[in-house]
Structures are given as structure tokens and as C-alpha cells.
């Protein structure tokens, strides 16, 4: 067979020609903005010329983005890797010192920034030691940035920089194992760590997104890509869409339930992907507003465990299939998708859908015990999930050798705890660091959350382990009550007792306004634990086990 390298430029050229009529829609707050994939191809060529000729980008230098999900971000997704450089997606929700750390660690040379995020970049630009050029996308005043940047950095405007440049670029042949893109984990413990995706891994991962067993993305689809392009590469959706010709709907900064519902009603996406908190908010909105969501064939939910109650509510009240998926920044991120096997119907099919899903051929999974010993894939042995495969990272950027805390004998240690069934379904009970160790027994914080969120008056529930003199740790339930509803700790505890063993029932309860979220919208358990330690919650304590 011929040895054709699997390159991002191939995905771009294919999408921009064969699927040139597919469209990318960006939400603006004043009506949608529409562009064709053919035009994205032309802009990618212009951007690559500008980066080389004006910003001097050569080799595998890093070009960072500080951007929402929009057309220009998509252009950068293709232009930067296709020219042989490395795209670095900066997470706009990180603390300034983390942003600085990441940009310096990656040695970013250029930053592309949405004009709405100029104030954020202006705050840190003075500390970004390797940056030489900033490109501001969209209108708005770049003056604060120019003032903060100093002489070392040239500030350009996107439109001026791209104007008049050629619509074609002679994309170089690269080694398919070279880095194409860089994404840092959100750093819930310690400094964020960089994961470099290769051209080859992106290509293979994109194929997997498109197969029916993956997300089943195809040319007749319109994908609403809510998951940020700075969070695990928007789950690979931009590349997969160009590969298969699915159109893209990009929400830009309009991530609240009301505009998302309007995007669904008017742009009629067939698929959508986001973390559970987004879907939870949208559900509450759809329950109280009459919106047309009939175009949605499926929505993919991942990033944290999806409460079964959320899946049922969408299916039963809105006719939308919520598909549960698991993955990590380190796995590109597609790891597993919960699609029931042939023949499973009714409750049995639902039981499969509650799991984190089955791995595709490209990902091998195993469960290991405390000393790293492999445990049987019997659906009952509980241990840490480890994975390997061609789109799973082998080590973090800048590390000479794989860190033994995260890698073992060529496997990635996920830090997730659960079981693996003989037919390949992963069921996660918790993250290792969130499991509640009570009197030598383990309590799954996720199981308690799922059970609580099945209560009709509960909007959100986050459970963490807190120190306890007698049992070492006990669960603390923090609950957000649905608007207009009222419920007591005693009532919730009795409700929990119908599905959870009595000794696991939390005695500490706090009613809060909102669960603190991480930079990618997950429950931030670290913050919940520290707020409890600081006495910030009004905790009600019921009798113990
Ligand atoms: P961060 O670790 O900063 O949250 P990632 O997005 O890479 O960044 O998180 C990966 C982790 O998210 C996984 O290791 C797992 O703990 C969690 N996760 C992702 N999908 C699921 C899921 N479907 N069910 C449970 N946990 C999930």
C-alpha cells in the first residue's frame, strides 16, 4: 500500500473541496453568521501566509488561541497544523497565573484572541515571555492590549492581516507523528499538563468520531459544538466535521440555556455535544419554555458522569436521546460511547446507556488493582481504569519519561475507578480522588449525586467526602433546589434511602445557590471541600449511621 501521511492538511483540503458547501454558523447575539467550508479553506490559506510572512512562524512553533467557538477559531484549527506549526488552545476560564504558566510552558509565539477577550489577555500579556505577535479577531478596542503589550509584541487585526493574501497555500508534507495541536489539562491538582496531539492521532480520532459506534457524525448532520474548542479540542468535532462534511453550529460566547435553545430551534442541529451541567440547565429551560428541539437526533454528554435522571427526562419529556460518553484530554478525548449492543431493549438497553460505554478498537482498556495488577474484566472487579491506543497520550509535554504517577507499562492511568464487563462496557463509580472513604468502606460520590438528582425538586447536587472523627470521612451533600420548589434534608435523605444503602446516607447537608464549577463546567469538588473547611456553608447535621 502507499504510505500517505495522515495529516490535518488532508482533512482541510478534503472538507474545503468535497464538502465545500457545508457551512459553519457562528452565533453572534445579532443573528447568525454563515460561512462555507470552501471559504474556511481560503481563510486558512490566508492565515497561514500571514503567520509565516508577518509573524515569522516557522517549524513547529506554537500559535495559541484565546477564543470562543467560532469561524475564526475553526480557521486557526486548520491553518496552524496544516502549515506545520502547532495549535495551542488556551482555556479562557483559567486563572491568570495558570494562563501565564501554560503559554510560557508551551513557548507560544503568537496569540490569536477574540476581541471580547482582549481585557483578559491584556491582564497577562506582560508576563508572556515568548509571545511576539497578537492577532485580534473582530471589532472592539485593542488599545488596552497595545498598551499592556509594550514594544516586544506587535498587535495586529485579523481582517487587516489576512486581507489580500493568497487563497491557496502549498501545505508542506509533515511527519504524521509530529505534533499538530496542544491542549493542557485543566489542572485540578498541581500545574496543568500539556498533551500534544499528532497529525496521525487527530486523523484516526476524527474517523472514530464519524463511525456509528462513535458519534456517528455524517454529511447530513449539523453539529452544535457546545463543548469549547479549548476543552479537549471540542471533542475532536471540528476535524471530524471537515472529514465527513457535517455542518457546524458554533455558539461563540452564548452558552446560556436561552440562546442554546434558540440555536437549536432556528439552526436545527441534528447532534450536539456538551458536559452534563449544560444539559441540566437546558433541561430546566426547555421544561418551562416551548421550544422546537425536534431536529436533534442525539446529544452526546461526557466530561463527568451523566445522571440517569437527566437521560430519562430528555427522552421522556423532549424525545431527545442522550448518549453517554467518557474521555479525557489525554485520550483526544474519545474513549468510550454508551451504545447498547444489538438485541438489548427496554430496561436492559437503559442499563447499558447508564454506563460510560464501550471502547472502540482504537482504545484498549483494563482495570487494575492497588499494586497495578490487572483485574478480570468481569463487570464486578473494581479498580483503576487504564487505557492505551493510537490517540492516547504516552507522556506529557516537556517530560523526558512518562510520569509513573500517570503512566504504567505503556498504559495511561486515568485516575477513574470502576469495572469493565466482558463485552467491553466501562462503568465508573468515581474519580479515585473523589471516592469517600468511610470506615474502611468506599462510598461513590457520583452514585449519591445521581440518586439525589433524580428527585424532582433538585436542580443540582454535588457530594464530597469531608473529615469525620469516627469514620475518617463521611459524605457532605450540597444541594441546589429547583426554582419555586422547597424540600428538606430529612425528605431528601428518605428519598435517597429508597435506592442507596442506609450506611451511605449523608448526615451533613447544605443548601446552596449554585455548585461551583471548574473551567470546563464540571462540579469543582476541590472548591466545595475547601468551602466546607472554611465554614462557608450553612450545614445541617442529621443523625449518623
Ligand atoms: P479535567 O481532568 O481537568 O476535568 P478532562 O476533561 O480531561 O479534564 O477530564 C477527564 C476526566 O473527566 C476523566 O478522567 C473522568 O474522571 C471525567 N469524565 C469524563 N467523562 C466522564 C463520564 N462520562 N463519566 C464519568 N466521568 C467522566
Amino acid at each position: 500500500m502507499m504510505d500517505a501521511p495522515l495529516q490535518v492538511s488532508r482533512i482541510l483540503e478534503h472538507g474545503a473541496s468535497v464538502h465545500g458547501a457545508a457551512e459553519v454558523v457562528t452565533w453572534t447575539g445579532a443573528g447568525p453568521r454563515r460561512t462555507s467550508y470552501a471559504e474556511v479553506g481560503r481563510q486558512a490559506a490566508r492565515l497561514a501566509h500571514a503567520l509565516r510572512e508577518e509573524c515569522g512562524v516557522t517549524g513547529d512553533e506554537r500559535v495559541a488561541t484565546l477564543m470562543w467557538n467560532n469561524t475564526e477559531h475553526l480557521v486557526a484549527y486548520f491553518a496552524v497544523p496544516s502549515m506545520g506549526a502547532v495549535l495551542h488552545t488556551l482555556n479562557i476560564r483559567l486563572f491568570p497565573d495558570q494562563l501565564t504558566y501554560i503559554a510560557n510552558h508551551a513557548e507560544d509565539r503568537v496569540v490569536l484572541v477574540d476581541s471580547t477577550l482582549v481585557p483578559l489577555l491584556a491582564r497577562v500579556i506582560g508576563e508572556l515571555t515568548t509571545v511576539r505577535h497578537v492577532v485580534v479577531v473582530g471589532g472592539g478596542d485593542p488599545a488596552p492590549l497595545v498598551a499592556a503589550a509594550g514594544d516586544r509584541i506587535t498587535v495586529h487585526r485579523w481582517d487587516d492581516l489576512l486581507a489580500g493574501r493568497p487563497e491557496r497555500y502549498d501545505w508542506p508534507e509533515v511527519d504524521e507523528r509530529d505534533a499538530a495541536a496542544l491542549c493542557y489539562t485543566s489542572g485540578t491538582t498541581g500545574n496543568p499538563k500539556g498533551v500534544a496531539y499528532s497529525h496521525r492521532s487527530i486523523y484516526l480520532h476524527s474517523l472514530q468520531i464519524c463511525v456509528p459506534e462513535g458519534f456517528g457524525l455524517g454529511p447530513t448532520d449539523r453539529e452544535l459544538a457546545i463543548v469549547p474548542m479549548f476543552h479537549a479540542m471540542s471533542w475532536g468535532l471540528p476535524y471530524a466535521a471537515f472529514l465527513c462534511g457535517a455542518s457546524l453550529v458554533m455558539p461563540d460566547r452564548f452558552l446560556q440555556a436561552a440562546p442554546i435553545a434558540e440555536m437549536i430551534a432556528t439552526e436545527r442541529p441534528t447532534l450536539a455535544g456538551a458536559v452534563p451541567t449544560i444539559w441540566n440547565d437546558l433541561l430546566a429551560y426547555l421544561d418551562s419554555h416551548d421550544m422546537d428541539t425536534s431536529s436533534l437526533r442525539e446529544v452526546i454528554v461526557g466530561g463527568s458522569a451523566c445522571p440517569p435522571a437527566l437521560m430519562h427526562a430528555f427522552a421522556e419529556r423532549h424525545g431527545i436521546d442522550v448518549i453517554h460518553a467518557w474521555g479525557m484530554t489525554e485520550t483526544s478525548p474519545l474513549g468510550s460511547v454508551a451504545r447498547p449492543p444489538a438485541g438489548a431493549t427496554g430496561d436492559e438497553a437503559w442499563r447499558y446507556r447508564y454506563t460510560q460505554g464501550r471502547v472502540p478498537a482504537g482504545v484498549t482498556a483494563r482495570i487494575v488493582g492497588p499494586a497495578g495488577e490487572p483485574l478480570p474484566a468481569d463487570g464486578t472487579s473494581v479498580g483503576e481504569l487504564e487505557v492505551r491506543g493510537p490517540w492516547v497520550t504516552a507522556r506529557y509535554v516537556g517530560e523526558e519519561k512518562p510520569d509513573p504517577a500517570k503512566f504504567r507499562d505503556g498504559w495511561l492511568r486515568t485516575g477513574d475507578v470502576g469495572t469493565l464487563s466482558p463485552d467491553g462496557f466501562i462503568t465508573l463509580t468515581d474519580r479515585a480522588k473523589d471516592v469517600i472513604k468511610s470506615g474502611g468502606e468506599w462510598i461513590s460520590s457520583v452514585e449519591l449525586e445521581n440518586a439525589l438528582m433524580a428527585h424532582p425538586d433538585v436542580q443540582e447536587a454535588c457530594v464530597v467526602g469531608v473529615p469525620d472523627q469516627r469514620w475518617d470521612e463521611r459524605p457532605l451533600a450540597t444541594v441546589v433546589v429547583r426554582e419555586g420548589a422547597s424540600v428538606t434534608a430529612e425528605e431528601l435523605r428518605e428519598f435517597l434511602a429508597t435506592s442507596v444503602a442506609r450506611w451511605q446516607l449523608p448526615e451533613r447537608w447544605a443548601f446552596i445557590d449554585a455548585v461551583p464549577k471548574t473551567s470546563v463546567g464540571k462540579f469543582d469538588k476541590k472548591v466545595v471541600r475547601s468551602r466546607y473547611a472554611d465554614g462557608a456553608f450553612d450545614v445541617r447535621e442529621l443523625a449518623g449511621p
Side-chain angles (χ1 to χ4, degrees), residues 185-188 231-232 301-306 324-330 356 414 416 428 431 520 522:
T185 62
S186 32
T188 34
H231 180 206
V301 180
S304 343
C306 180
H324 196 193
W326 168 88
M328 307 171 71
T329 302
E330 289 87 337
Q356 271 66 21
T414 65
D416 291 325
L428 297 182
R431 281 191 177 198
V520 291
K522 305 183 189 190

Side-chain angles (χ1 to χ4, degrees), residues 6-8 11 81 85-86 174-182 195-206 233 239 332 389-393:
L6 308 177
Q7 318 186 126
V8 170
I11 305 179
V86 179
V174 296
D175 184 331
E176 64 177 26
R177 288 180 168 76
D178 280 351
L182 187 57
V195 174
Y197 308 109
S198 65
H199 288 262
R200 174 186 155 82
S201 75
I202 288 175
Y203 199 106
L204 295 173
H205 181 263
S206 304
M233 308 301 288
Y239 294 125
S332 288
W391 57 81
V392 178
T393 194

Side-chain angles (χ1 to χ4, degrees), residues 57-318:
V57 173
T58 56
D60 67 351
E61 283 182 334
R62 267 69 66 203
V63 175
T65 54
L66 192 66
M67 299 173 82
W68 300 101
N69 289 17
N70 52 37
T71 306
E72 289 73 19
H73 207 168
L74 185 68
V75 169
Y77 252 57
F78 283 104
V80 177
S82 295
M83 68 187 284
V86 179
L87 175 84
H88 175 201
T89 54
L90 291 166
N91 181 338
I92 62 174
R93 301 216 179 84
L94 290 183
F95 291 115
D97 57 340
Q98 280 182 318
L99 261 185
T100 305
Y101 170 83
I102 290 175
N104 288 340
H105 189 261
E107 298 176 22
D108 294 334
R109 181 180 177 91
V110 180
V111 183
L112 312 180
V113 60
D114 275 333
S115 61
T116 51
L117 296 168
V118 158
L120 170 63
L121 185 60
R123 228 176 295 153
V124 298
I125 192 77
E127 314 282 319
L128 307 188
T129 52
T130 58
V131 172
R132 294 291 172 268
H133 296 267
V134 172
V135 183
V136 179
V137 182
D141 183 12
L145 194 58
V146 177
D151 296 342
R152 185 169 53 86
I153 298 171
T154 311
V155 178
H156 310 263
R157 276 192 182 275
W158 172 279
D159 288 344
D160 301 341
L161 193 65
L162 270 60
R165 295 198 189 270
E167 291 181 352
R168 294 206 58 80
Y169 191 99
D170 195 9
W171 304 119
E173 186 156 310
V174 296
D175 184 331
E176 64 177 26
R177 288 180 168 76
D178 280 351
L182 187 57
C183 189
Y184 280 70
T185 62
S186 32
T188 34
T189 48
N191 271 329
K193 294 192 165 74
V195 174
Y197 308 109
S198 65
H199 288 262
R200 174 186 155 82
S201 75
I202 288 175
Y203 199 106
L204 295 173
H205 181 263
S206 304
L207 288 171
Q208 186 58 39
I209 294 282
C210 297
V211 303
E213 192 196 9
F215 293 176
L217 192 67
T220 56
D221 279 314
R222 290 170 71 76
E223 171 80 42
L224 173 59
I226 304 173
V227 55
M229 291 167 88
F230 56 76
H231 180 206
M233 308 301 288
S234 194
W235 297 352
L237 294 171
Y239 294 125
F242 257 64
L243 194 94
C244 72
S247 287
L248 282 167
V249 182
M250 301 294 211
D252 200 82
R253 60 190 191 281
F254 304 96
L255 295 171
Q256 308 71 24
I260 295 280
E262 203 186 329
M263 279 172 231
I264 296 170
T266 60
E267 288 302 322
R268 307 205 50 78
T270 55
L271 288 170
V275 292
T277 48
I278 295 263
W279 296 119
N280 203 32
D281 288 352
L282 185 68
L283 178 67
Y285 187 85
L286 294 179
D287 282 348
S288 54
H289 296 78
D290 189 18
M291 304 293 288
D292 181 4
T293 57
S294 59
S295 63
L296 280 174
R297 173 161 65 78
E298 278 181 354
V299 302
I300 308 281
V301 180
S304 343
C306 180
L310 189 72
M311 296 187 201
H312 282 281
F314 267 109
E316 285 144 30
R317 303 211 285 273
H318 302 284

Side-chain angles (χ1 to χ4, degrees), residues 405-461:
K406 286 297 291 184
F407 301 90
R408 185 189 345 249
D409 309 331
W411 293 80
L412 169 73
R413 305 174 63 179
T414 65
D416 291 325
V417 174
T419 61
L420 184 61
S421 70
D423 53 351
F425 281 87
I426 298 166
T427 301
L428 297 182
T429 41
D430 224 329
R431 281 191 177 198
K433 56 180 185 275
D434 294 329
V435 173
I436 302 162
K437 287 141 198 127
S438 170
E441 299 284 345
W442 285 12
I443 299 176
S444 156
S445 64
V446 172
E447 196 182 321
L448 290 174
E449 286 164 3
N450 285 349
L452 272 172
M453 282 193 273
H455 191 283
D457 294 335
V458 174
Q459 167 72 17
E460 280 181 339

